[in-house]
Amino acid sequence: MMMLPKVEDDEHDQYYMLIDRSKLLVDSFEYIAKLKNMPGSFFVEFKEEQATGPGVLRAWFLLASQEIFNPNNGLFVACPDDNRSFFTKSRNISHLPFVLAGAFEVNPLHLEYFRFSGRMTALALAYDVQIGVVFYRIFFLQLAGKGVLLEDIRDADPFLYCGCKEILNMDAKTVDQDVLGLTFVCEVESLGLRREIELCPNGKDTVVDSKNMETYVNLLIQHHYVTSIADQVTYFLDGFSDVITMSRLPTFFQCLSLEDFNLMLGGRSDISVEDWKAHTDYHGYEESDLQISWFWKIVESMCIEQRKMLIFLWTSIKSLPLEGFVGLDSRLSIHKTSEFDDHLPSSHTCFYQLCFPVYQSMKDMEDRLKMITKGYIGSSFGTV
């Protein structure tokens, strides 16, 4: 982590951003893309909302990153076996079950959005904000300047992987009888039009046989996962290097394993309730109070996504750092309020405070906690 730039809150070099939640991706892009140099700090407000401070900044990092990595926005596609794991894709891979969003397919700013994505990813790392996504191996390898092999695409593209394995495992005599009917070309689709791409010079006249089938498979993989996305990877790295300088960039990726990088970026996928309790203080309540006992029993009964949403509402952090709760800036706290017990819990995310009144039953508390951990509320609640 020593290679990451140290972020200091420099009020004299603060960059102000007013973000409309209904245009989160576009607004964030416009602010970040036009920066010539990275400012000393960022100050974020959401339009028509009063909340400000570190909690709002963390919320913006998380929500903007979710938009960047939303497959519907056409920049990245989720790995089939892990919807937290992402890689960029060619505009013309016809066999993947994801079609690039039309707006980005014809958008002249398509590549600039990858520069923006690189900046946002590096800034999230620099600000130590876990954004809840991880990179898939084929993308990380290219960021590290390494090659992509057949085994690297196994989970990202099972269809292509199995097809290539089937070719390589065929009997040499059978392949030489031209039963495959393959030449060194691949079919691609772009904007609804299909066309053939030669994988090598004179590829359409070069028949795949037992002597060159390994070369064919390697060229096919290189086309789909290296050549066809080379521009996107380059722009992403350019944006990343605006935060982590180019001279340090190769060392940064090469000294990290994929697992370490993804823990830094995505955070822990598990949440220990015991660790949570050990790092929570009480104000107005005592640990022995019924309401506190009920609260932790309810948390223990929650699924992992509900726990993440509750943490987000409490702190504007949805994924914990590698160290767990001890890795946060400060301890969490639960505060007693004097409101009537029909009120929902509220929070002060800048200070990691969760506030709720004296509920009269565990069921009342559970109903209200379930209400605030629903996704549609979680997008705006918890930044007061």
Side-chain angles (χ1 to χ4, degrees), residues 112-223:
E112 289 300 327
Y113 266 89
F114 278 96
R115 191 194 307 275
F116 160 67
S117 301
R119 284 184 171 188
M120 288 294 291
T121 301
L123 284 169
L125 291 170
Y127 277 82
D128 198 22
V129 177
Q130 284 71 42
I131 58 175
V133 300
V134 295
F135 285 177
Y136 193 65
R137 183 173 180 80
I138 53 177
F139 187 42
F140 181 79
L141 286 172
Q142 292 177 77
L143 297 179
K146 299 178 180 179
V148 177
L149 304 176
L150 176 59
E151 290 302 316
D152 297 321
I153 73 166
R154 178 199 289 263
D155 297 323
D157 194 346
F159 182 91
L160 181 60
Y161 174 80
C162 291
C164 289
K165 290 292 285 186
E166 187 175 343
I167 292 172
L168 294 176
N169 291 332
M170 288 184 69
D171 178 71
K173 291 182 179 180
T174 303
V175 175
D176 289 338
Q177 292 172 2
D178 197 21
V179 295
L180 293 173
L182 293 174
T183 57
F184 275 62
V185 299
C186 67
E187 189 179 70
V188 299
E189 181 179 344
S190 180
L191 292 173
L193 300 176
R194 289 183 176 272
R195 59 193 178 97
E196 286 188 341
I197 297 290
E198 290 189 310
L199 299 175
C200 65
N202 201 33
K204 63 182 179 180
D205 297 320
T206 305
V207 176
V208 176
D209 58 31
S210 61
K211 294 179 180 179
N212 63 21
M213 61 184 182
E214 275 194 41
T215 302
Y216 168 77
V217 166
N218 288 333
L219 288 174
L220 193 62
I221 293 169
Q222 294 309 302
H223 171 76

Side-chain angles (χ1 to χ4, degrees), residues 37-322:
N37 298 293
M38 290 299 110
S41 62
F42 292 88
F43 186 90
V44 177
E45 278 189 272
F46 287 108
K47 194 174 181 180
E48 298 181 355
E49 298 181 25
Q50 295 181 349
T52 60
V56 177
L57 179 62
R58 290 192 299 267
W60 170 73
F61 267 122
L62 177 64
L63 296 172
S65 297
Q66 287 179 340
E67 286 299 298
I68 288 170
F69 291 99
N70 181 345
N72 292 328
N73 286 324
L75 295 170
F76 294 86
V77 62
C79 181
D81 70 338
D82 181 0
N83 61 12
R84 282 204 334 150
S85 186
F86 293 86
F87 57 94
T88 187
K89 62 181 277 291
S90 164
R91 299 181 178 204
N92 50 32
I93 298 178
S94 59
H95 59 263
L96 285 178
F98 174 81
V99 179
L100 196 65
F104 277 100
E105 183 75 18
V106 297
N107 190 341
L109 294 176
H110 174 80
L111 291 175
E112 289 300 327
Y113 266 89
F114 278 96
R115 191 194 307 275
F116 160 67
S117 301
R119 284 184 171 188
M120 288 294 291
T121 301
L123 284 169
L125 291 170
Y127 277 82
D128 198 22
V129 177
Q130 284 71 42
I131 58 175
V133 300
V134 295
F135 285 177
Y136 193 65
R137 183 173 180 80
I138 53 177
F139 187 42
F140 181 79
L141 286 172
Q142 292 177 77
L143 297 179
K146 299 178 180 179
V148 177
L149 304 176
L150 176 59
E151 290 302 316
D152 297 321
I153 73 166
R154 178 199 289 263
D155 297 323
D157 194 346
F159 182 91
L160 181 60
Y161 174 80
C162 291
C164 289
K165 290 292 285 186
E166 187 175 343
I167 292 172
L168 294 176
N169 291 332
M170 288 184 69
D171 178 71
K173 291 182 179 180
T174 303
V175 175
D176 289 338
Q177 292 172 2
D178 197 21
V179 295
L180 293 173
L182 293 174
T183 57
F184 275 62
V185 299
C186 67
E187 189 179 70
V188 299
E189 181 179 344
S190 180
L191 292 173
L193 300 176
R194 289 183 176 272
R195 59 193 178 97
E196 286 188 341
I197 297 290
E198 290 189 310
L199 299 175
C200 65
N202 201 33
K204 63 182 179 180
D205 297 320
T206 305
V207 176
V208 176
D209 58 31
S210 61
K211 294 179 180 179
N212 63 21
M213 61 184 182
E214 275 194 41
T215 302
Y216 168 77
V217 166
N218 288 333
L219 288 174
L220 193 62
I221 293 169
Q222 294 309 302
H223 171 76
H224 281 315
Y225 289 106
V226 180
T227 308
S228 63
I229 61 170
D231 288 343
Q232 289 94 327
V233 171
T234 297
Y235 272 73
F236 183 94
L237 280 171
D238 285 348
F240 200 97
S241 67
D242 289 338
V243 180
I244 299 175
T245 59
M246 185 63 74
S247 61
R248 300 156 81 185
L249 202 55
T251 307
F252 176 81
F253 283 110
Q254 290 171 11
C255 77
L256 284 172
S257 68
L258 174 62
E259 292 72 21
D260 288 341
F261 178 81
N262 282 338
L263 278 172
M264 291 164 55
L265 185 64
R268 297 175 63 103
S269 58
D270 62 316
I271 299 174
S272 166
V273 177
E274 288 304 312
D275 187 35
W276 196 342
K277 290 169 67 174
H279 290 87
T280 301
D281 299 324
Y282 307 98
H283 296 268
Y285 285 113
E286 299 292 336
E287 189 173 1
S288 58
D289 287 344
L290 268 178
Q291 285 75 18
I292 299 302
S293 176
W294 293 339
F295 176 82
W296 291 118
K297 286 179 180 177
I298 294 166
V299 171
E300 286 175 347
S301 70
M302 288 179 173
C303 68
I304 188 67
E305 286 306 316
Q306 288 174 314
R307 291 180 187 178
K308 285 185 175 182
M309 184 57 70
L310 180 58
I311 291 174
F312 176 64
L313 303 178
W314 197 332
T315 66
S316 287
I317 294 169
K318 202 170 184 180
S319 297
L320 294 173
L322 173 62

Side-chain angles (χ1 to χ4, degrees), residues 10-23:
D10 184 356
E11 294 183 358
H12 300 292
D13 187 21
Q14 196 170 64
Y15 188 57
Y16 174 78
M17 296 185 288
L18 180 63
I19 304 295
D20 185 338
R21 285 183 184 268
S22 67
K23 300 186 299 177

